[in-house]
Amino acid sequence: MLAEHDRAERLMAIAKAEGLYEEIHLLKEDGTLAGSVDDISPEVMVAMYRHMVFARAFDRKAIALQRQGRIGTYAPFEGQEAAQVASAMALAPEDFVFPSYRDHAATMVLGQSPANVLLYWSGRVEGIRSPEGRHILPPSVPIATHVLHAVGAAWASRHRKEAAVSIAYFGDGATSEGDFHEALNFAGVFHLPVIFFCQNNGYAISVPFSRQSASRTIAQRAIAYDIVGVRVDGNDAFAVYRAVKEARARALHGLGPTLIEAVTFRMGAHTTADDPTRYRDQKAVVEAWQKRDPIARLRLYLESQRLWSDADEAKLQEEVRARVEAAVDEALSIAPPDMEMMFDHVYAEAPWHLAAEREEYRRSREGVSV
Amino acid sequence: MAQMTMIQAITHALDLELARDERVLVFGEDVGKNGGVFRATEGLQQKYGPNRVFDTPLAESGIIGLANGLAIQGFRPVPEIQFFGFVFEAFDQIAGQLARTRYRTGGRYTAPVTIRSPFGGGVHTPEMHADSLEGLFVQTPGIKVVIPSTPYDAKGLLLSAIRDPDPVIFLEHMKLYRSFRQEVPEDDYTIPLGVANVVREGKHATVIAYGAMVHVALKAAEQWSKEKGLEAEVIDLRTVNPIDIETIVASIKKTNRAVVVQEAQRSAGAAAEIVAQINENAIYHLEAPVLRATPPDTVYPFGMIEDEWLPTPEYVLKTLDRVMSL
């Protein structure tokens, strides 16, 4: 448990935090800095950029594949690359990650194979299974339910005194759900090592945040639960990275959970089944947010520091194209599933009725009358 | 050996398992310091400490979500839902999440969670406490549902439930908590899940029941024997998901008639499933349609009407007479 003086210190920090209402910025839209980034190495910065460029190319390709009928409905994340990539890069392999269904840029940074992501959106359960050496849980489809799982996993880490945290990824819509509030409350009561990472991308399908809540910000919800809240520019990879790093460090030092609101924007549709022109002036909002593009500003900064060149860019684009193509080839050339796998992993051992149903299925497939 | 009520047998089982397996954690509303509103967890926090037996905030969805997160990390949580009528608050966490953890992760993560919860009518609780909602979980793949009817069974089944690799809903009928005592061995024993128990032998009709209805069925059977000289075989199902059809069929082959007694409303619950399974597996052994003795399909009534609503021995007796006359 947290010592009382640490707790008092933390309360002071919350009271002082400007980050509850105003976004913290480090990397401005023109590629210049708003503060020191000495704690972020050039290697990390370049890696962030490479991941983000790949993520965007992958995302656009996935939409194209859906349009061609080669994969099913897909949830694009363009515009949110900095929030997802930088947050994931701030984690460690032993951490437990609970993504939502739009967080593939994050999960791919953590080792989820791009081909698997395409498989998931093609209707293959294998596509959400965690890569070895990482703990990435399947995306929760009903909104916010997984935020509580992160709380439970964090309890487990603390119970065993392991240096690991849990992180839940969710959107602005999730903050209206009861499970979100229950999770923050539980984590606050028990001072658990968990990070609540909210990408406020402006819309829950068609409903804007102003209709989601009368709260000015999501970060301010932290006050009610007496936990740390931080509001960052979600298109600023450096600000996101630092916010998650700091939240992780606090969690490991017994200072409890952090609610991070990364303010970003979903440039495209909710899913490929959605038409954003029905509920917003799509052209105007995209133009406005293009000025805040997370990738463009990071490239400007890297170039200004001579960490990136046109030649690097050309080489990266080539690599990205090849990697995306390889993922598409892998996903689309995989053999169709053995249909009988529907019976696997329902229970550790199938009860008699399920075993009988499996046998009935097998016989009907073989053309034997049942 | 000791004489125990069902609630004592449950506390005793939790105690044994907390001592045996350090992965076991017991938590919920009022289960720590207070020892549970029915005292099912009495003394356990003092014995095992507040890190293993603890009070949570008042939020059923939060309690089950917490359990799910602990389970994927290898713990064996035993959360309590204070009254099963409140389970709707946690429905997604149970049916949508917990029950699918193994399936969605291909077995890499599992959810060996045992949800304990009091339920059941006849004790005049306030609204939304007494409902029999087990039928909802008969239709939930990935979950097992256990309902003991005696102290001896409660201990053996609870130990099996906690050790089971999959999520189990363990429903404790409030009326049975302290209604009688029974010899319960103090050592470790288990009763397998999914195996019914023939609690009374007979040859004229089979009565299938679970929970408090087992005792209603037994009373009716004794009365039937006394009044008509007819002997009912009574099966205590003990587990309603999965249902032990083998024991039911074996009995029907002998009796050729059956009545299912259920405390839940009539439609689409465990009883309906039992009748369907009898239809598929034993129809040529039947001399009459299988009948159900259940309350009507109404909202669970308020206390003053409750006793009229619940199946009584007289009602079961009438249903037995009917099944013989068909």
Side-chain angles (χ1 to χ4, degrees), chain A residues 22-23 35 43 56 80 89 144 146 155 170 180 182 197 203 206 232 246 257 259 261 289 299 304 308 318 327 340:
Chain A
E22 300 300 324
E23 291 169 33
E43 292 74 30
R56 179 161 296 181
Q80 301 177 219
M89 286 185 67
H146 61 307
W155 178 291
F170 53 92
F180 164 77
E182 292 184 21
F197 187 76
Y203 284 83
S206 66
V232 296
E246 287 178 352
L259 170 63
E261 176 186 6
W289 277 87
R299 183 175 172 186
S304 74
W308 199 252
E318 200 35 59
E340 201 182 317

Side-chain angles (χ1 to χ4, degrees), chain A residues 333-357:
Chain A
S333 65
I334 192 170
D338 174 1
M339 297 298 168
E340 201 182 317
M341 75 178 283
M342 69 175 100
F343 291 100
D344 293 339
H345 303 300
V346 182
Y347 295 90
E349 193 184 333
W352 72 269
H353 66 281
L354 192 56
E357 287 164 24

Side-chain angles (χ1 to χ4, degrees), chain A residues 50-85:
Chain A
R50 298 175 64 89
H51 281 303
M52 285 161 64
V53 169
F54 172 76
R56 179 161 296 181
F58 172 87
D59 192 61
R60 289 180 176 177
K61 183 68 184 182
I63 295 169
L65 291 171
Q66 190 280 333
R67 296 286 182 247
Q68 294 159 7
R70 296 160 85 191
I71 65 169
T73 301
Y74 173 77
F77 54 73
E78 179 158 340
Q80 301 177 219
E81 293 90 348
Q84 293 193 19
V85 167

Side-chain angles (χ1 to χ4, degrees), chain B residues 285-307:
Chain B
H285 298 282
L286 288 174
E287 302 271 354
V290 181
L291 298 181
R292 286 176 287 176
T294 72
D297 285 315
T298 66
V299 170
Y300 193 96
F302 283 56
M304 294 288 275
I305 293 177
E306 193 178 3
D307 291 337

Side-chain angles (χ1 to χ4, degrees), chain A residues 340 343 353-366 370:
Chain A
E340 201 182 317
F343 291 100
H353 66 281
L354 192 56
E357 287 164 24
R358 184 175 196 145
E359 185 55 30
E360 185 184 319
Y361 169 78
R362 208 177 269 168
R363 288 163 65 88
S364 75
R365 198 173 58 168
E366 286 163 6
V370 292

Side-chain angles (χ1 to χ4, degrees), chain A residues 134 145 160 179 182 347 352, chain B residues 61-62 73 92 108 143 243:
Chain A
R134 283 279 184 179
T145 56
R160 296 200 191 102
D179 279 357
E182 292 184 21
Y347 295 90
W352 72 269
Chain B
S61 188
Q73 282 253 43
D92 176 56
R108 172 159 168 188
I143 289 266
I243 289 165

